[in-house]
Amino acid sequence: GENVEQHPSTLSVQEGDSAVIKCTYSDSASNYFPWYKQELGKRPQLIIDIRSNVGEKKDQRIAVTLNKTAKHFSLHITETQPEDSAVYFCAASSGGATNKLIFGTGTLLAVQP
Amino acid sequence: DTGVSQDPRHKITKRGQNVTFRCDPISEHNRLYWYRQTLGQGPEFLTYFQNEAQLEKSRLLSDRFSAERPKGSFSTLEIQRTEQGDSAMYLCASSYRLAVNQETQYFGPGTRLLVL
């Protein structure tokens, strides 16, 4: 069935360092890959997304790369700040008419000041 | 706040009781999704509506669960005869589907359910 694997499950970095989170997906029909940031007790917030016709997208300190052949996509955060600390979820759309999102299990990012 | 809203934010109930949650999507969004999130996991798809039509239900959605979106605006999710395993965060998301691969889902704050 449809599956998204996410690694690592926890990531601790020093302020100013870069953080990379990686995901793989199983459904070759997936064509949309969003990343959500969720702080404790709050809603998932979309931080960046990429569609299958694009290989890379950047928004200030955040970038996402997509390799459709390998079914991999990654989130890159540069110059991390303490306020980047949260749980990050990758997701892949189911493709077809539904476009439901299949989520990874999340990465707890801790940015140490 | 013009984002997705959900009510109530928290619900504590006893096993066997029925509960109902409400989701108000972003105005003019034609799609509405329900997800369930348990501690330490990502959200899992439950069901979705395009306008008032419920187009897909997950295998996770047992017969005790029912969802409606009667006028294509707000939606309700009802759980009958709640079980302790129903304890979770129930998230609603809405989107405007312009075309295939032209859709972004925005989440509400969720309803946290605890079944005692």
Side-chain angles (χ1 to χ4, degrees):
Chain A
E2 302 152 332
N3 186 49
V4 174
E5 293 189 357
Q6 182 172 348
H7 300 281
S9 56
T10 60
L11 180 59
S12 181
V13 299
Q14 292 293 317
E15 182 178 358
D17 287 351
S18 296
V20 180
I21 303 171
K22 298 182 178 182
C23 290
T24 60
Y25 61 98
S26 61
D27 187 354
S28 57
S30 295
N31 53 21
Y32 172 63
F33 307 90
W35 287 85
Y36 288 86
K37 174 184 179 182
Q38 188 174 31
E39 297 176 14
L40 190 61
K42 296 193 175 180
R43 75 184 73 196
Q45 287 195 306
L46 180 73
I47 55 171
I48 196 167
D49 57 11
I50 191 166
R51 301 182 194 274
S52 60
N53 56 346
V54 176
E56 184 173 356
K57 183 177 178 180
K58 189 173 181 180
D59 182 4
Q60 299 183 338
R61 297 185 298 109
I62 296 173
V64 58
T65 58
L66 171 64
N67 182 332
K68 283 221 76 180
T69 302
K71 296 183 187 172
H72 289 172
F73 58 114
S74 300
L75 177 72
H76 304 253
I77 306 175
T78 58
E79 300 171 23
T80 53
Q81 301 166 2
E83 51 266 38
D84 294 330
S85 297
V87 178
Y88 290 79
F89 291 99
C90 64
S93 68
S94 60
T98 303
N99 209 46
K100 66 186 177 189
L101 296 177
I102 311 301
F103 282 83
T105 49
T107 297
L108 175 61
L109 174 64
V111 180
Q112 309 297 332
Chain B
D1 186 357
T2 56
V4 179
S5 62
Q6 292 185 244
D7 184 71
R9 295 291 307 278
H10 301 89
K11 179 71 177 180
I12 300 174
T13 191
K14 293 183 179 179
R15 185 166 51 92
Q17 298 295 304
N18 299 342
V19 293
T20 299
F21 310 141
R22 176 177 170 129
C23 171
D24 286 89
I26 293 171
S27 179
E28 298 182 357
H29 274 192
N30 57 1
R31 285 202 165 190
L32 188 148
Y33 296 80
W34 285 98
Y35 292 85
R36 181 169 67 189
Q37 185 177 27
T38 53
L39 202 61
Q41 299 297 315
E44 293 178 295
F45 170 79
L46 293 179
T47 188
Y48 91 102
F49 294 83
Q50 174 145 328
N51 300 313
E52 65 275 7
Q54 186 174 17
L55 298 184
E56 184 174 337
K57 293 193 290 186
S58 164
R59 291 188 301 272
L60 294 174
L61 215 63
S62 76
D63 291 345
R64 298 183 297 105
F65 287 70
S66 63
E68 294 182 342
R69 194 183 184 200
K71 297 182 180 179
S73 57
F74 73 91
S75 175
T76 58
L77 177 68
E78 181 182 16
I79 309 174
Q80 296 183 325
R81 305 181 302 282
T82 53
E83 301 173 357
Q84 289 182 327
D86 298 331
S87 297
M89 173 78 87
Y90 290 84
L91 291 163
C92 173
S94 73
S95 67
Y96 184 77
R97 186 176 176 90
L98 185 64
V100 172
N101 206 23
Q102 294 292 326
E103 180 182 349
T104 300
Q105 294 182 32
Y106 297 94
F107 280 83
T111 294
R112 184 170 294 283
L113 173 66
L114 178 61
V115 182
L116 301 176

